[in-house]
Amino acid sequence: MTERRTRIWVGIDAGKGHHWAAAVDELGFQVWSKKIDNDEAAILEAIAEALAMAEAVDWAIDLSGTASALLLALLASHGQKPVYVPGRTVNRMAGAYRGEAKTDARDAFVIAETSRVRRDFAAVDVPAQLVSDLALLVAHRADLVADRVRMVNRLRDVLTGIFPALERAFDWSASKGALTLLTHRQTPAGIRRLGRSRLESWLRKRGVRSADKVAATALEAAEAQHTVLPGESVAASIVADLATQLIALDERISGLDKQIKETFHTHPQAHIIESMPGIGPILGAEFVVAAGDLSAYADAGRLASAAGLVPVPRDSGRRTGNLHRPKRYSRRLRRVFYLSAQTSAIKDGPNRDYYLKKRSEGLKHVQALIALARRRVSVLWALLRDNRVFTPDPVTQTA
């Protein structure tokens, strides 16, 4: 421990409560292993010990989420740039070493050895303040949307048990007027007793659009059922509570969308990203979060590969030309390009023309969308590189 080495590799098995760090030398021998609490003082002490052992220290970590945020920030403040070793790689590399034990210390050693052997891992950078803010907002919005989907499904299930005709009459995921109706009346008898004129007047006072159509549809459904089903009173109270929560949740999501839009527009290239057909502020924010620093991608092909839009070969012997979908890629980045391609293919323009061209070549719908998404990756990467907005007509090069 007193001998100062030329170079060591430190692998960190990150966790919420504590981390475990292990270091190997140039020959692959373990020279250091330590448990580190996820606390600033303990992390700083461990960093000082590692830096004192060698002239050059290479860091590797298997987690780049919130659990390792403090660790990554302190490493960056000391001028250290760790690389990210995926958990799947660590799991497979563990089988190459003796023993079957599974401990944090062993995982840290495997991470350090893997980073020593392989030099092609991507560096983990501490995100800028804008990217961190967008990441938190986008993740929070995804949670709220998931809660909304769950509540809509629950409302439809309970409503079907007491009033199936009304459940079929509206699109509960998009009709705010129907949700407003359920906060006041939930049963066939209650709607019939209120009447069309009074129901329409009540809806208008609460700012419901097309209140006459909503009232007419609800009354028609109420006239089709005169049987009182078991548990109607309890189910009606549950439906009213779910409808009230859904309306409040829609307001929260709407306010969050405005905040995401305002934050995203502070990005210096937000107007370029939004100029692409099919990409708005929400998808644009998701792209900034998922892609990170675009300078890490040497060309558009690297960006497309990170999004899982480039097939990988699986050849063996005489079997060649077997292309398959990759397994290791950014799901969030692929989602951005797939959804934007799906939206852009609806409207007339170069995107739809390219989509129809691929369909005419015999590709199925999903295949044509993936081909369009791959094409759009090259376009967006070129726009960001040249710092110009998208135009339907090709740009003419002048001398």
Side-chain angles (χ1 to χ4, degrees):
M1 292 293 294
T2 58
E3 180 185 356
R4 186 173 176 83
R5 295 169 174 81
T6 305
R7 188 177 185 182
I8 62 172
W9 287 261
V10 178
I12 303 176
D13 181 41
K16 294 182 179 180
H18 68 274
H19 314 301
W20 200 289
V24 295
D25 59 10
E26 295 178 344
L27 298 178
F29 294 105
Q30 181 172 305
V31 297
W32 183 61
S33 182
K34 182 176 183 180
K35 180 181 177 181
I36 308 170
D37 293 333
N38 195 6
D39 181 75
E40 182 175 354
I43 295 175
L44 289 175
E45 180 182 355
I47 293 175
E49 291 182 12
L51 293 178
M53 286 192 297
E55 298 178 1
V57 180
D58 295 322
W59 302 82
I61 191 169
D62 67 337
L63 185 65
S64 59
T66 55
S68 59
L70 178 60
L71 173 63
L72 294 175
L74 293 177
L75 286 174
S77 65
H78 285 73
Q80 307 298 309
K81 295 194 67 174
V83 297
Y84 171 65
V85 181
R88 179 178 301 192
T89 303
V90 177
N91 185 33
R92 292 182 176 180
M93 286 293 294
Y97 296 93
R98 182 178 57 188
E100 299 181 1
K102 173 68 174 68
T103 62
D104 294 341
R106 176 181 170 86
D107 289 343
F109 168 76
V110 173
I111 294 171
E113 265 288 88
T114 304
S115 65
R116 183 184 70 88
V117 176
R118 285 183 55 179
R119 308 295 175 86
D120 58 344
F121 291 114
V124 180
D125 296 324
V126 177
Q129 184 65 35
L130 174 61
V131 178
S132 299
D133 293 343
L134 286 177
L136 292 173
L137 293 174
V138 168
H140 185 45
R141 184 183 187 276
D143 292 338
L144 293 182
V145 171
D147 292 341
R148 187 182 189 278
V149 173
R150 178 187 57 82
M151 292 176 63
V152 169
N153 292 335
R154 179 60 178 161
L155 182 143
R156 295 185 62 181
D157 180 66
V158 177
L159 188 60
T160 302
I162 61 172
F163 200 170
L166 185 63
E167 190 275 332
R168 295 192 305 267
F170 294 101
D171 181 7
W172 299 102
S173 61
S175 178
K176 184 179 179 181
L179 293 176
T180 306
L181 167 68
L182 288 183
T183 61
H184 186 51
R185 289 289 188 270
Q186 307 86 27
T187 61
I191 294 177
R192 288 196 304 268
R193 189 165 48 248
L194 188 61
R196 178 173 178 175
S197 60
R198 286 191 294 173
L199 180 59
E200 180 180 343
S201 176
W202 185 88
L203 291 173
R204 290 188 185 278
K205 290 180 180 179
R206 281 147 187 84
V208 175
R209 295 181 179 179
S210 303
D212 54 342
K213 295 182 180 180
V214 175
T217 303
L219 191 60
E220 181 181 356
E223 293 292 345
Q225 179 178 336
H226 293 269
T227 303
V228 178
L229 298 179
E232 183 180 86
S233 59
V234 176
S237 63
I238 294 176
V239 167
D241 181 59
L242 289 173
T244 303
Q245 293 185 51
L246 277 171
I247 294 175
L249 189 58
D250 287 340
E251 294 177 356
R252 292 179 60 188
I253 294 176
S254 178
L256 189 60
D257 288 346
K258 294 180 180 178
Q259 187 177 2
I260 293 175
K261 182 178 180 180
E262 294 174 356
T263 307
F264 171 66
H265 283 166
T266 60
H267 192 278
Q269 293 184 314
H271 64 288
I272 300 176
I273 300 174
E274 275 192 307
S275 67
M276 282 285 292
I279 298 183
I282 303 300
L283 276 183
E286 293 184 10
F287 169 75
V288 171
V289 173
D293 186 10
L294 290 177
S295 62
Y297 307 99
D299 51 29
R302 296 290 182 88
L303 180 59
S305 178
L309 298 174
V310 179
V312 294
R314 291 185 183 178
D315 300 339
S316 179
R318 297 181 180 180
R319 299 179 58 186
T320 59
N322 296 318
L323 300 178
H324 294 264
R325 176 179 176 178
K327 294 182 178 180
R328 291 177 291 177
Y329 57 89
S330 173
R331 267 64 179 176
R332 295 186 301 174
L333 199 57
R334 183 185 178 92
R335 176 181 180 273
V336 170
F337 286 114
Y338 187 86
L339 290 181
S340 63
Q342 191 173 29
T343 304
S344 64
I346 298 175
K347 298 181 180 179
D348 293 334
N351 293 274
R352 180 169 179 79
D353 295 340
Y354 187 82
Y355 167 79
L356 294 177
K357 174 186 175 183
K358 290 300 178 181
R359 290 303 303 270
S360 64
E361 293 175 359
L363 298 184
K364 296 181 180 180
H365 170 70
V366 175
Q367 295 173 330
L369 281 181
I370 293 176
L372 175 60
R374 174 61 184 90
R375 183 70 171 265
R376 288 167 55 86
V377 170
S378 300
V379 175
L380 181 58
W381 188 85
L383 294 178
L384 294 174
R385 178 198 60 193
D386 300 337
N387 200 26
R388 60 183 178 87
V389 298
F390 173 81
T391 57
D393 300 327
V395 178
T396 57
Q397 296 287 344
T398 58

